[in-house]
Amino acid sequence: KTRMEEQDENSENFEKLKRELNSSHPQLVTNINLSVSLVNIPFEFKRLVNLKKLTLVNGKIKEISNLDNCKELELLNLAKNNITKINNLKFDKLKVLVLDYNPITRLEENDFVNARNIERLFLCNTNVTNLWSTIRALKKIKKLKYLNFCKYDELAFAENAKTEEGSTTGEDEIYFEND
């Protein structure tokens, strides 16, 4: 598919989703996967009480909002948006959180107090720099098994990213094992 065809398909899917949200049965929606340029998460998403998987990538979303009633959410992918803060997530069942390519600068201690069941957290190409507040925040995630921070500098990656084994992963991964 061409990029134009993908954009048209995403626009059609978004229009279909808006119709579903305005219908009398939004509780039937369990999975949303869109690559559209949203400025925010639509207010109507509060009606998606059975939503399990939400992917809204390549947008301009600045904050994680309007998902308070999505108590069944297990996967949240908001990669490639404009999110700068996490602000106390409240998802008891969330297992996977993808915030790659967002301008997040720091993780606060209370960001994950109400999202302790996250098992996989992806923060590639963010701007998180404060190691101490980040560690305090991550300690709140009791079930965290996989954390991925990576920073790709394509020129440096191509020239210098060889590891001792000779591979070029370019990623720093941390695995946690809970006893």
Side-chain angles (χ1 to χ4, degrees), residues 75 107 136 163:
L75 179 141
L107 301 178
R136 283 193 299 274
T163 64

Side-chain angles (χ1 to χ4, degrees), residues 152-172:
Y152 292 113
D153 176 347
E154 291 180 29
L155 182 59
F157 178 73
E159 294 175 5
N160 304 318
K162 293 232 181 240
T163 64
E164 290 177 16
E165 292 81 25
S167 66
T168 56
T169 63
E171 296 182 5
D172 294 321

Side-chain angles (χ1 to χ4, degrees), residues 67-100:
L67 298 173
D68 300 346
N69 297 330
C70 300
K71 305 290 185 201
E72 301 300 315
L73 199 60
E74 295 177 4
L75 179 141
L76 179 58
N77 182 351
L78 297 172
K80 296 184 179 181
N81 277 285
N82 289 326
I83 297 168
T84 58
K85 293 181 187 177
I86 295 177
N87 286 340
N88 191 9
L89 293 178
K90 295 180 181 173
F91 301 111
D92 288 336
K93 295 186 178 183
L94 190 65
K95 293 179 182 173
V96 179
L97 178 60
V98 181
L99 295 171
D100 295 342

Side-chain angles (χ1 to χ4, degrees), residues 23-35:
S23 77
S24 58
H25 304 292
Q27 70 274 13
L28 299 177
V29 178
T30 59
N31 186 5
I32 297 172
N33 186 351
L34 292 172
S35 177

Side-chain angles (χ1 to χ4, degrees), residues 38 56-63 76-86 97-105 121-128 148-154 157 169-171:
L38 294 176
L56 297 173
V57 297
N58 296 320
K60 296 179 175 116
I61 296 170
K62 292 183 180 177
E63 65 181 352
L76 179 58
N77 182 351
L78 297 172
K80 296 184 179 181
N81 277 285
N82 289 326
I83 297 168
T84 58
K85 293 181 187 177
I86 295 177
L97 178 60
V98 181
L99 295 171
D100 295 342
Y101 294 92
N102 276 287
I104 298 168
T105 56
L121 177 59
F122 298 85
L123 293 163
C124 289
N125 278 54
T126 59
N127 297 320
V128 174
N148 195 341
F149 274 104
C150 52
K151 188 74 169 173
Y152 292 113
D153 176 347
E154 291 180 29
F157 178 73
T169 63
E171 296 182 5

